[in-house]
Amino acid sequence: MKKNWMKLSLDLIMALGLFSLFSVSAVGLAFHEVVGLALFGATILHLAFNWRWIVSFTRRLFSKNIPFKTRLGYVLNVLLLISFVIIIGSGITMSKFVFAGVFEEVDTFKTAHYFFSAFALVLVGIHTGLH
């Protein structure tokens, strides 16, 4: 019961964090970068909390007994993970606060950051709806 409460709390914090990142002008770039990194850390924690299910399901992915909704959720989760890795990677290269001056800004990274951020938001909505 306690673990479920922690998982639900983490999910809520992640959702609020994600939504707060979509208005950089309202929250400021420093907040955006720090919360973005924290959200990535929370994603790792989320995966750790659900690791047993991930491993178990991955082993049974092609079993005929798995419902379509569960397979769809798994595919969404993989797409979300890929999206978050691209978002954090591109975000680090664009950083003007946390990693200021470490990377030279490239428009391709900015485009990827914006596209995958919007894509992840849609995926999170579908992910939430499935649960």
Side-chain angles (χ1 to χ4, degrees), residues 4-15:
N4 285 339
W5 177 250
M6 287 174 39
K7 287 168 66 172
L8 185 61
S9 298
L10 179 63
D11 291 351
L12 181 60
I13 290 167
M14 289 172 63

Side-chain angles (χ1 to χ4, degrees), residues 53 57 61-62 68-83 119 123 126-127 130:
W53 180 88
F57 185 80
L61 182 61
F62 297 105
F68 174 76
K69 180 180 170 186
T70 307
R71 283 182 211 266
L72 177 62
Y74 185 85
V75 170
L76 284 171
N77 292 337
V78 170
L79 290 173
L80 268 170
L81 180 60
I82 291 167
S83 295
F119 184 58
L123 291 175
I126 296 169
H127 174 85
L130 283 175

Side-chain angles (χ1 to χ4, degrees), residues 2 11 13 16 21-23 26 39 42-43 49 55-56 59 68 75 84 94-95 101 114-116 124 131:
K2 186 176 182 181
D11 291 351
I13 290 167
L16 292 172
L21 295 177
F22 277 87
S23 183
L39 187 58
T43 300
F49 276 148
V55 171
S56 170
R59 287 184 180 146
F68 174 76
V75 170
F84 281 139
M94 296 166 36
S95 176
Y114 294 152
F115 174 81
F116 282 98
V124 165
H131 291 285

Side-chain angles (χ1 to χ4, degrees), residues 7-131:
K7 287 168 66 172
L8 185 61
S9 298
L10 179 63
D11 291 351
L12 181 60
I13 290 167
M14 289 172 63
L16 292 172
L18 181 65
F19 293 129
S20 75
L21 295 177
F22 277 87
S23 183
V24 179
S25 59
V27 298
L29 187 58
F31 175 89
H32 179 84
E33 290 186 19
V34 170
V35 171
L37 287 170
L39 187 58
F40 190 67
T43 300
I44 303 276
L45 190 58
H46 178 83
L47 291 171
F49 276 148
N50 294 290
W51 190 249
R52 209 178 295 158
W53 180 88
I54 293 167
V55 171
S56 170
F57 185 80
T58 301
R59 287 184 180 146
R60 299 178 298 124
L61 182 61
F62 297 105
S63 169
K64 293 180 182 181
N65 300 342
I66 304 295
F68 174 76
K69 180 180 170 186
T70 307
R71 283 182 211 266
L72 177 62
Y74 185 85
V75 170
L76 284 171
N77 292 337
V78 170
L79 290 173
L80 268 170
L81 180 60
I82 291 167
S83 295
F84 281 139
V85 168
I86 292 169
I87 292 164
I88 196 69
S90 60
I92 288 171
T93 65
M94 296 166 36
S95 176
K96 294 192 181 351
F97 179 73
V98 176
F99 299 101
V102 176
F103 298 96
E104 187 175 323
E105 191 169 331
V106 178
D107 284 341
T108 305
F109 293 133
K110 188 180 282 189
T111 302
H113 190 76
Y114 294 152
F115 174 81
F116 282 98
S117 295
F119 184 58
L121 187 62
V122 170
L123 291 175
V124 165
I126 296 169
H127 174 85
T128 303
L130 283 175
H131 291 285

